[in-house]
Amino acid sequence: MIIYDDGIELSAELEVPEGHDGHRLVILLHGFTSAKNRPHNLQAAAAMREAGFATLRFDLYGHGESGGEFRNHTLYKWISNTMTVINWALEQGYDELYLSGHSQGGLVVALVAGMEADRIRGLILRAPAFLIPRCAREGQMLGGTFDPDHLPDEVNVIKGKMLRGDYLRVAQTIHPEEAAERYGGPVLILHGDEDDLVPLKDSEEYARRFRRCELKVMKGESHHFDRKPEEMRTLIREWLKKQH
C-alpha cells in the first residue's frame, strides 16, 4: 500500500486482526536507518494486534521502500510523513489512534503527539532518541564531532551513509521536552538497560515530563529489542489492553 505525502511515496502495511471494531489503530514508526519490516517492529506490531488493535507500519522518507534519499531526510520530513499517515487513517474511519515509535521514530512520535494531542489516544515509545536535538546543539552525534555554530555540508553516519547538514540544522531547532509537556494522554516507554545507543536516563527524565507515563526497564535488553521479544510483546499487549 502507498500513501502519498506531497508527492513522496510512503510504503505502508495495514494489518487488521479478526473481529476488529474498525476504530482502534496503532501507527508504528521505525528508527534511523531502519525500516517497517525489521523483526523487532514486526514483533511489536503483532503484540498490538493481539490486544485487538489494527496496525499500520510504514517506511519513512529515505528509508525502506519509501521515496526520498536517505541523505536528504530530516526530522521535519518525518513529522510531515507521520501527520499525513494520521490524516489517512482518520479518513478511513480509524478514530481511536495510538502512535508507537522506536529510537528516532520514538522522538518523532513524541513531537507529533505534542502537535496533535487532541487526535492521539496514547503513545508506545521504545528507546526514544530524545538525545538527537541536544546532541545536534552540542556538536556531537553518532560518535563524531562538529562545530554546532558552523555546521558541515554533510556528515558521515553509521554504515557508511551520508547525511546533509540540513539534518543537523533541523534537529537544532527541536525541543522534545516542550512536546512531552503538552501531551496529556497515556504513555508507555520501554527501554533496555543495556542500550548502548540511547541513554536510559533520557527515558527516565521523559517519564517524569509526560503527565501520564509508565516506564518499563527491560533487564538485559539492547537498543534493538532483539534479546527478549516475548517480554516486549507482553508489556505492549498488556498495556494496550488496559487502555480500553
Side-chain angles (χ1 to χ4, degrees):
M1 180 174 72
I2 299 296
I3 299 173
Y4 288 91
D5 178 16
D6 197 21
I8 295 295
E9 292 187 353
L10 302 178
S11 175
E13 183 75 26
L14 175 67
E15 295 176 281
V16 182
E18 185 175 350
H20 185 255
D21 65 2
H23 297 280
R24 292 173 291 173
L25 175 71
V26 184
I27 297 172
L28 290 90
L29 280 67
H30 60 75
F32 184 81
T33 73
S34 188
K36 67 180 182 296
N37 291 329
R38 293 290 170 82
H40 62 92
N41 295 324
L42 296 176
Q43 292 277 359
M48 294 161 186
R49 292 192 299 276
E50 290 166 0
F53 287 73
T55 58
L56 179 59
R57 293 173 288 109
F58 72 102
D59 288 328
L60 288 124
Y61 185 104
H63 288 67
E65 299 173 316
S66 287
E69 293 185 37
F70 173 85
R71 71 185 304 272
N72 295 329
H73 93 275
T74 68
L75 293 172
Y76 286 165
K77 289 177 179 177
W78 277 31
I79 289 169
S80 175
N81 292 168
T82 305
M83 296 176 80
T84 294
V85 172
I86 288 171
N87 287 332
W88 180 90
L90 290 168
E91 290 167 2
Q92 310 311 306
Y94 294 107
D95 54 5
E96 295 182 29
L97 295 181
Y98 286 69
L99 299 180
S100 179
H102 173 248
S103 196
Q104 180 168 288
L107 167 63
V108 171
V109 159
L111 297 172
V112 172
M115 299 173 187
E116 303 208 37
D118 57 330
R119 292 170 139 189
I120 306 304
R121 295 287 187 93
L123 310 179
I124 299 174
L125 311 179
R126 293 184 295 128
F130 292 121
L131 76 166
I132 291 175
R134 181 179 73 245
C135 289
R137 287 190 285 271
E138 293 175 353
Q140 55 178 335
M141 188 171 292
L142 300 169
T145 59
F146 50 87
D147 182 348
D149 296 319
H150 300 87
L151 294 172
D153 292 332
E154 62 179 13
V155 289
N156 186 15
V157 297
I158 57 176
K159 302 178 183 177
K161 292 179 177 288
M162 302 298 293
L163 267 179
R164 292 180 61 190
D166 288 351
Y167 176 92
L168 300 173
R169 292 183 176 87
V170 166
Q172 286 184 340
T173 71
I174 287 174
H175 294 273
E177 64 277 7
E178 296 175 2
E181 290 164 4
R182 281 196 300 271
Y183 184 69
V187 180
L188 172 66
I189 299 179
L190 302 182
H191 209 123
D193 68 353
E194 294 187 8
D195 189 330
D196 60 352
L197 294 177
V198 173
L200 173 58
K201 65 180 179 60
D202 282 5
S203 285
E204 293 171 338
E205 174 190 343
Y206 277 80
R208 294 187 293 270
R209 288 187 180 277
F210 285 112
R211 296 178 219 171
R212 300 165 58 194
C213 186
E214 293 181 48
L215 170 63
K216 300 294 186 182
V217 179
M218 296 178 61
K219 300 295 184 183
E221 187 55 278
S222 72
H223 181 67
H224 295 101
F225 293 89
D226 51 3
R227 299 176 185 173
K228 297 185 175 182
E230 287 302 323
E231 180 181 345
M232 178 188 71
R233 285 178 67 150
T234 298
L235 289 169
I236 291 172
R237 182 177 61 249
E238 296 308 310
W239 184 84
L240 276 175
K241 284 182 177 179
K242 292 189 297 183
Q243 305 312 311
H244 63 88

